[in-house]
Amino acid sequence: MTGTLRVLPLGGLGEIGKNMTVVEYEDRIVIVDTGLMFPTPDQLGIDLVLPDFSLLRERAVDIEAIVLTHGHEDHVGALPFLLRELGEDVVPAIYGGPLTVEMVRSKLDEHRLSGAALAPLEAGRDVEAGPFSLELVKMAHSIPDAFAVALRCELGTTIFTGDYKFDQTPVDGVPADVARLAEIGREGVLLLCGDSTNVDRPGWAPSESSVGPQLEQVFARCRGRIVVTSFASNLHRVQQVIDAAEALGRKVALVGRSMRKYVNIARRLGHIEVPEGMLVGVREIEDFPDHKIVVVSTGSQGEPLSALRRMAHGEHPQVDLREGDTVIFSATPIPGNERSVNETIDRLYQLDAEVVTARDAPIHASGHGYAEEMKLMLNLLEPGYVMPVHGDHRRLRMHGRLAESVGIEPERIFRVANGRPLEIDRSGARLGEAEHAGVIFVDGVDVGSLEDVALRDRRMLSADGIFIVVATISGDDGRSVSPPEVIFRGVPFLDSVDGLVDEVREAVEESLARSAEEEVREITLLQDHLHDDVAHFVYERLKRRPMVLPVVVEV
Ligand SMILES: [Zn+2]
Ligand SMILES: [Zn+2]
């Protein structure tokens, strides 16, 4: 008797970001990727968005392994939070390529989680994980050491492609292992969970190595300082910026903590080559003539705290942008970030800097393959079932259609949502019961003292707004002595409910009167009752749970 394979995505479906999938067989679990997402501008006060993995808390002892396809934040960023949720007694093996492992190690160290069982894994080596075995297959992407995962159990092999492109001239000279993929395909693939990012782009993605010469051309036209912004983890791009700078006799300064950190790790592992004397410290920039400097900076997405954003606002302590400087965006905005990127660009113009984006010159190549590459993946693997992942709903559907176009029957293609498991046994595949799949918000830079209460508060504020209720009571008998004040911010639908604020005021009066009758005199207790009564009332009327802050003043 064989069991049921359960593939449960907790994030990454119907959205771009926070990729995470829980795979279960015979009650044992392997987790593929633990990604995060950056907040959209309307999620004020939120720093990070994580998949809600609380259902794993009770299953912690069942987790055999966590396997990470590559070192991008949307695949590894939630790991410290997940490990903390699982507790210190649970130490699952964490596999990934050597670069991924080192990037994650430095991340975990920052979170004071140095006890994790990180294990770098070579491509092609099989490791056991309970009823599973797993193998990494080399892929090309915008970061070195990107892998697909072949996860086997007695029912068959599931392939998670991770992020990939079939780049024939990758910057590090190591293309995707097409031969191994074909071999695995010949052995038989049960399920393919494939990257959908660029399914809407026909043809083939341009090679990453096509970017370098373009960058050099743009550099050659610049008279002043050059600032190139890209993802810190896009190490192939950073390498090409360094090469272009070298060709034109410019020095390179790395700005932004994550930029320096990742470049250091990549240099140590031999993934980035920097000629001797090329790098200069950020404080030395002013020691060189403007035409001898290239600054490589984080902030390509307009992130609020990033180095580039601070430069654009004239708030960077070392880099003071001025006329003659050119800022080159060697990245495109992730959907949702367009607004903050545009705002950053406009600020740069205000400083009289020149701005070059991927619209002006081909200085960006996506790390994700286009439609023809996805077809190649499907044809190499000939999977029994297909589950498109890593994309918004539109892309998931398009990826499904693409699978149909290469001959996979529609009933074998599953469009799954976060929290909905795909269940496969000997008799076939079907969608299972939906589980809870929400998000967890992280606020504050001091993640070490992350408090659930603060998180919940932020979540409520972000979604449902806030009510502040100020009541003035008599110190003699606790009765309300003046009409309560009701202040609200960001409560949705409030305007559409006539007279609601008056009704809230009445609810406050009633609550106070009841407390007075019950001779509740303790202020904190009064506030508690007031909170519960108002929250209950608002929920009944609006079906919303704004944060309610009662303030009781005694006179
Ligand atoms: Zn990636
Ligand atoms: Zn990704």
Side-chain angles (χ1 to χ4, degrees):
M1 236 338 246
T2 52
T4 303
L5 177 72
R6 231 166 147 257
V7 182
L8 171 67
L10 291 183
L13 276 66
E15 62 191 2
I16 307 266
K18 66 180 175 66
N19 300 286
M20 178 167 180
T21 309
V22 176
V23 189
E24 190 174 348
Y25 189 70
E26 290 179 336
D27 295 327
R28 308 303 293 169
I29 288 172
V30 170
I31 298 168
V32 181
D33 284 335
T34 56
L36 60 70
M37 194 152 95
F38 294 99
T40 51
D42 55 319
Q43 290 168 324
L44 282 177
I46 302 296
D47 297 317
L48 305 171
V49 182
L50 314 179
D52 185 348
F53 36 64
S54 50
L55 63 94
L56 288 170
R57 196 184 309 142
E58 279 148 39
R59 304 290 314 275
V61 291
D62 300 329
I63 300 172
E64 295 281 353
I66 298 171
V67 53
L68 306 170
T69 55
H70 63 289
H72 280 158
E73 290 293 327
D74 63 322
H75 297 258
V76 304
L79 185 64
F81 304 95
L82 173 68
L83 293 182
R84 198 169 289 135
E85 175 99 15
L86 297 180
E88 279 173 16
D89 305 336
V90 181
V91 189
I94 303 167
Y95 297 109
L99 177 66
T100 312
V101 161
E102 284 317 305
M103 288 171 75
V104 163
R105 191 189 307 281
S106 93
K107 185 186 284 290
L108 294 180
D109 285 347
E110 280 175 31
H111 286 252
R112 301 197 185 92
L113 287 162
S114 27
L118 288 165
L121 191 59
E122 281 161 44
R125 229 192 81 206
D126 256 309
V127 289
E128 300 295 316
F132 298 99
S133 74
L134 62 92
E135 174 195 343
L136 300 182
V137 183
K138 180 72 183 76
M139 288 290 155
H141 185 39
S142 49
I143 186 171
D145 268 2
F147 295 95
V149 178
L151 188 60
R152 299 186 179 86
C153 68
E154 57 184 333
L155 282 176
T157 303
T158 301
I159 301 281
F160 295 85
T161 64
D163 298 357
Y164 72 96
K165 66 197 281 192
F166 287 113
D167 193 336
Q168 297 306 301
T169 51
V171 172
D172 61 358
V174 193
D177 192 347
V178 179
R180 183 65 191 129
L181 286 173
E183 223 166 63
I184 294 172
R186 217 167 300 126
E187 290 159 15
V189 170
L190 182 66
L191 170 68
L192 169 64
C193 299
D195 176 8
S196 311
T197 308
N198 279 334
V199 67
D200 54 345
R201 299 198 191 180
W204 297 74
S207 171
E208 175 64 30
S209 59
S210 69
V211 173
Q214 297 291 342
L215 277 175
E216 205 181 309
Q217 276 186 29
V218 176
F219 280 18
R221 292 198 295 269
C222 297
R223 295 286 156 255
R225 292 178 301 181
I226 298 170
V227 178
V228 184
T229 182
S230 183
F231 281 107
S233 56
N234 193 340
L235 292 163
H236 293 318
R237 190 66 48 81
V238 176
Q239 175 73 68
Q240 298 195 93
V241 172
I242 291 170
D243 294 346
E246 193 199 9
L248 294 166
R250 288 180 182 247
K251 303 276 183 196
V252 170
L254 304 172
V255 175
R257 206 174 56 94
S258 53
M259 188 64 78
R260 283 194 297 273
K261 190 174 84 176
Y262 290 156
V263 168
N264 278 334
I265 293 173
R267 274 182 93 178
R268 211 168 61 228
L269 294 175
H271 287 297
I272 275 195
E273 277 177 45
V274 188
E276 207 57 47
M278 249 318 253
L279 291 183
V280 299
V282 59
R283 282 185 185 78
E284 301 169 78
I285 293 174
E286 297 289 345
D287 300 345
F288 292 85
D290 286 1
H291 68 280
K292 289 290 177 196
I293 284 293
V294 174
V295 173
V296 188
S297 169
T298 53
S300 66
Q301 302 298 310
E303 304 93 317
L305 299 172
S306 65
L308 182 70
R309 174 83 160 235
R310 281 153 68 200
M311 289 178 212
H313 285 252
E315 289 166 359
H316 197 278
Q318 279 96 28
V319 188
D320 201 6
L321 290 179
R322 52 183 173 248
E323 195 178 345
D325 293 342
T326 306
V327 179
I328 301 171
F329 281 75
S330 190
T332 49
I334 294 174
N337 293 346
E338 295 90 348
R339 216 170 80 191
S340 27
V341 173
N342 287 340
E343 200 224 11
T344 304
I345 290 176
D346 211 53
R347 287 286 189 153
L348 292 167
Y349 279 115
Q350 193 182 16
L351 297 175
D352 291 325
E354 291 303 319
V355 178
V356 180
T357 70
R359 281 193 200 157
D360 309 311
I363 48 169
H364 176 66
S366 176
H368 302 263
Y370 291 5
E372 291 304 315
E373 289 160 89
M374 294 181 194
K375 289 183 194 164
L376 176 59
M377 181 65 87
L378 287 156
N379 282 332
L380 284 169
L381 295 175
E382 295 181 12
Y385 302 104
V386 174
M387 176 172 141
V389 299
H390 207 291
D392 53 18
H393 294 294
R394 182 174 70 95
R395 290 179 172 87
L396 300 185
R397 190 195 291 185
M398 288 179 81
H399 197 172
R401 295 232 174 96
L402 195 88
E404 278 183 54
S405 79
V406 300
I408 295 171
E409 296 126 350
E411 58 274 16
R412 295 182 166 272
I413 301 164
F414 288 87
R415 269 203 294 132
V416 184
N418 291 339
R420 194 87 197 269
L422 178 64
E423 294 175 353
I424 306 177
D425 57 21
R426 285 275 181 241
S427 65
R430 68 208 68 84
L431 293 180
E433 287 283 305
E435 301 240 19
H436 170 72
V439 294
I440 299 174
F441 292 123
V442 179
D443 66 345
V445 271
D446 186 11
V447 283
S449 66
L450 205 68
E451 267 298 313
D452 279 351
V453 180
L455 287 182
R456 202 175 50 230
D457 287 355
R458 291 286 198 177
R459 184 158 29 187
M460 282 164 117
L461 281 174
S462 158
D464 291 345
I466 182 169
F467 265 101
I468 301 170
V469 174
V470 186
T472 314
I473 58 164
S474 146
D476 295 333
D477 57 4
R479 295 201 177 268
S480 171
V481 293
S482 62
E485 264 182 81
V486 176
I487 304 153
F488 56 89
R489 291 284 182 272
V491 183
F493 309 126
L494 195 64
D495 297 342
S496 56
V497 183
D498 267 352
L500 188 90
V501 175
D502 287 336
E503 290 178 46
V504 172
R505 232 175 249 132
E506 276 168 37
V508 173
E509 296 273 23
E510 273 170 35
S511 173
L512 290 173
R514 199 159 46 239
S515 290
E517 256 162 51
E518 291 164 0
E519 299 194 333
V520 179
R521 300 304 303 275
E522 188 85 38
I523 293 284
T524 50
L525 212 53
L526 265 175
Q527 294 188 155
D528 265 4
H529 289 324
L530 198 51
H531 170 271
D532 291 352
D533 291 341
V534 172
H536 176 77
F537 174 80
V538 173
Y539 183 73
E540 286 299 309
R541 288 300 308 267
L542 290 178
K543 296 291 176 232
R544 288 261 163 187
R545 297 193 189 280
M547 189 170 178
V548 175
L549 262 186
V551 181
V552 175
V553 186
E554 219 178 32
V555 291

